[in-house]
Amino acid sequence: MSEPHNYHMMPKEFRHYGKQVIDWIADYYEQVEKFPVLPTVKPGDIYAKLPDHAPQSGEPFADVLRDMNDIILPGVTHWQSPNFFAFFPSNTSGPSILGELLSAGLGQQGMMWLTSPACTELETRVMDWLADMLALPEQFHSTASGGGVIQDSASGAALCAVLAAREQATDFAANSNGANGKLIAYISTQTHSSLEKAVKIAGIGSANLRRITVDEYFAMRPDALHRQIQRDRHAGLVPFFVCATVGTTSSNAMDPLPEIGRICRDEGLWMHVDGAMSGTAAICPEYRHFLNGIEYADSFCFNPHKWLFTNFDCDCFFVANRAALIKTLSILPEYLRNQATESGAVIDYRDWQISLGRRFRALKLWFVIRHYGLEGLCYHIRRHVQIAQQFAEWIKASADFELAAPAPLNLVCFRHHGGDDVNKQLLERLNKTGKLYLSHTVLADRFTLRLCVGQTTTEESHVCAAWELIQKIAGEFHKLKFF
Ligand SMILES: *Cc1c(COP(=O)(O)O)cnc(C)c1O
């Protein structure tokens, strides 16, 4: 009997179009500098180009690929352009993309050791490698009391940290009885918004989140933190969690980890360290000092999907005491019971994260680390920092511009002397050229431009060209007597 008709893409066809897709991606990277970094589409343009209804009959794959060029490509922001300097980067690289492809090909669901031993054990090994590469203290290794896990995001990691901290502070009672409304969490005025979200989701309540003031360099003030903790204790409240940041999103400020860490140790609070982008720098021995004080931390995360040449989504989350995290998040319904789990000899990463299911994300990270080697990774991270530092020097030497904050690594915050309106106009005009993309922030109530060097292939020439364009457009302002 022959097989009934089906609609699947057969291996022969898959092989054919698969090669075309790889070529498409390679072509894209060869041409990415030609596209305007920000697309020129208006809201609704892309939606309107797509059919009102899903197709009744399947379409040729060639037509789908054609629409990638005609409809999708004109509507994407080119994060992988070396002239993308906005926000923080969202990295990719050849080995990472290929690792993602293989992950898709294998289609693993690695919720437990049993459902994919290789997915679990490669992740454990790669996370131990990274703990080594960052010179994290012993307790963050799987061979000691803790270990690492790949999360979808720094936001997901922050939520896990807040939940584990909440349970530790309540002797694991909040999981059954709910949070008691007295737990107090501490961040700075510059901490990423994902911490507020985590505090809301975890039932702590945003009214129980304290935003500690920062110093003139936008770093959390430990004296203010200490005073606020005392005030809350006197009011009968229960301080339980502090997040310190290595490289804030707005200005790359470095919270003083040793001072904050000692307060957390003395007061018995969970310390989470958010190093989303800048944590990566610690793989280079000369930048490892940014993690000094990490020995006090209960948890730490950084994003290879920001600045370690690895595709989104890939946040590496390390805990010093995995038992607290697992006890907080583990649930064992009958249908997931199995001997490997009962034996206690394996890791089931579903107990280390919010969702049950998980992709084989360690593959891309493993490919990246093996392709570049520690040497190659450090080389490119250093290059980015050097290029950003050079840009910062140009700003300092310029008569028209000034630095708006210290530039410890690869983010430079700067502004024109002409005031907020001039800086806003300058940003708009620069981004309209399509030749680069910068974003902004507000520091000490003043509109500030940000240039972040972190896209995988950004080189000195790109930042040189950016500086020339910035000066040229600012110069046109002079002629127009804008100020
Ligand atoms: C980008 C960023 C985050 C959020 O990262 P996601 O992985 O997108 O959730 C958190 N903290 C800091 C400091 C960041 O820069």
Side-chain angles (χ1 to χ4, degrees):
M1 231 177 77
S2 68
E3 296 287 336
H5 168 75
N6 73 55
Y7 295 85
H8 299 308
M9 180 182 276
M10 290 298 151
K12 189 166 165 241
E13 207 185 348
F14 178 81
R15 201 182 298 279
H16 176 73
Y17 286 115
K19 286 173 182 167
Q20 285 192 12
V21 167
I22 292 287
D23 280 340
W24 192 97
I25 297 171
D27 289 345
Y28 176 66
Y29 278 86
E30 278 177 354
Q31 295 170 35
V32 66
E33 283 190 58
K34 291 190 196 145
F35 301 113
V37 185
L38 268 177
T40 51
V41 292
K42 286 183 281 305
D45 277 359
I46 309 298
Y47 182 83
K49 279 192 198 162
L50 297 161
D52 290 349
H53 301 287
Q56 176 63 29
S57 312
E59 301 179 66
F61 193 76
D63 290 2
V64 182
L65 266 187
R66 184 202 59 215
D67 286 347
M68 276 298 293
N69 289 321
D70 295 352
I71 302 177
I72 303 301
L73 203 50
V76 304
T77 299
H78 296 281
W79 284 78
Q80 304 316 322
S81 165
N83 298 311
F84 184 101
F85 304 112
F87 312 112
F88 279 165
S90 186
N91 277 176
T92 66
S93 66
S96 171
I97 294 166
L98 295 176
E100 276 288 60
L101 186 57
L102 284 170
S103 169
L106 281 172
Q108 299 290 285
Q109 208 283 36
M111 59 184 165
M112 313 189 270
W113 181 86
L114 180 71
T115 61
S116 186
C119 175
T120 300
E121 294 188 15
L122 179 66
E123 186 160 329
T124 308
R125 178 57 80 185
V126 168
M127 295 302 280
D128 280 337
W129 280 2
L130 281 167
D132 252 10
M133 289 160 65
L134 295 163
L136 296 183
E138 191 53 33
Q139 62 268 27
F140 290 103
H141 292 70
S142 76
T143 46
S145 57
V149 57
I150 301 178
Q151 300 273 348
D152 57 351
S153 60
S155 310
L159 178 55
C160 289
V162 171
L163 291 170
R166 183 192 74 187
E167 290 314 298
Q168 189 159 286
T170 59
D171 208 9
F172 296 87
N175 257 345
S176 39
N177 306 328
N180 62 11
K182 293 192 166 176
L183 296 174
I184 307 291
Y186 303 82
I187 61 176
S188 87
T189 56
Q190 302 292 308
T191 306
H192 192 268
S193 55
S194 55
L195 270 293
E196 180 183 356
K197 205 181 218 180
V199 160
K200 286 183 183 175
I201 297 170
I204 306 304
S206 50
N208 295 323
L209 179 65
R210 305 282 185 260
R211 291 170 209 274
I212 305 301
T213 53
V214 293
D215 64 19
E216 74 266 40
Y217 303 130
F218 308 102
M220 187 192 288
R221 281 180 43 192
D223 58 324
L225 171 67
H226 190 247
R227 267 200 309 280
Q228 186 61 48
I229 291 171
Q230 301 315 321
R231 226 175 282 143
D232 288 326
R233 285 210 196 280
H234 284 135
L237 300 169
V238 183
F240 83 109
F241 175 89
V242 178
C243 174
T245 305
V246 175
T248 59
T249 319
S250 178
S251 72
N252 222 1
M254 302 287 173
D255 289 340
L257 302 190
E259 288 85 347
I260 294 170
R262 280 191 284 273
I263 293 170
C264 290
R265 180 198 58 195
D266 295 348
E267 300 284 337
L269 311 191
W270 184 290
M271 181 191 190
H272 176 62
V273 175
D274 177 1
M277 178 182 71
S278 303
T280 293
I283 65 169
C284 304
E286 69 272 35
Y287 309 132
R288 170 59 177 75
H289 65 91
F290 290 115
L291 289 188
N292 285 353
I294 193 80
E295 58 276 15
Y296 295 109
D298 295 282
S299 53
F300 163 69
C301 76
F302 82 108
N303 288 357
H305 73 226
K306 272 190 173 151
W307 196 29
L308 198 63
F309 319 126
T310 305
N311 280 67
F312 191 83
D313 50 345
C314 185
D315 166 273
C316 293
F317 178 54
F318 295 90
V319 289
N321 174 12
R322 62 179 174 267
L325 179 68
I326 293 170
K327 198 170 167 192
T328 299
L329 297 178
S330 96
I331 297 278
L332 185 56
E334 184 53 39
Y335 52 82
L336 293 180
R337 282 187 187 277
N338 67 83
Q339 226 184 349
T341 295
E342 316 271 304
S343 77
V346 300
I347 290 177
D348 293 326
Y349 278 123
R350 56 149 201 224
D351 295 336
W352 298 54
Q353 62 176 25
I354 303 300
S355 43
L356 171 63
R358 59 202 324 274
R359 314 194 295 118
F360 200 162
R361 288 180 292 217
L363 268 184
K364 60 189 169 191
L365 200 44
W366 188 47
F367 278 32
V368 166
I369 297 171
R370 290 186 69 183
H371 170 85
Y372 287 93
L374 188 49
E375 180 186 300
L377 294 172
C378 288
Y379 172 83
H380 287 288
I381 294 300
R382 271 185 197 120
R383 279 296 292 154
H384 283 162
V385 176
Q386 285 161 0
I387 295 166
Q389 292 302 315
Q390 188 175 65
F391 181 79
E393 289 305 318
W394 292 332
I395 294 289
K396 276 195 237 166
S398 154
D400 297 328
F401 290 89
E402 65 181 10
L403 285 185
L409 287 167
N410 59 331
L411 173 71
V412 181
C413 293
F414 66 103
R415 62 172 80 93
H416 193 278
H417 288 311
D420 281 4
D421 284 346
V422 165
N423 282 291
K424 279 179 195 166
Q425 284 272 350
L426 178 59
L427 180 66
E428 200 177 311
R429 286 174 175 229
L430 280 165
N431 288 340
K432 260 203 182 129
T433 66
K435 291 188 175 146
L436 48 58
Y437 181 24
L438 301 180
S439 60
H440 79 277
T441 186
V442 171
L443 292 174
D445 293 328
R446 293 164 74 189
F447 193 87
T448 301
L449 308 185
R450 296 165 77 267
L451 180 138
C452 188
V453 182
Q455 193 279 329
T456 308
T457 58
T458 296
E459 267 304 332
E460 198 178 351
S461 57
H462 302 106
V463 177
C464 268
W467 177 225
E468 272 167 28
L469 190 66
I470 292 166
Q471 289 174 294
K472 178 167 167 269
I473 293 191
E476 286 165 8
F477 276 20
H478 268 295
K479 282 187 217 120
L480 293 172
K481 300 238 185 306
F482 246 100
F483 51 90

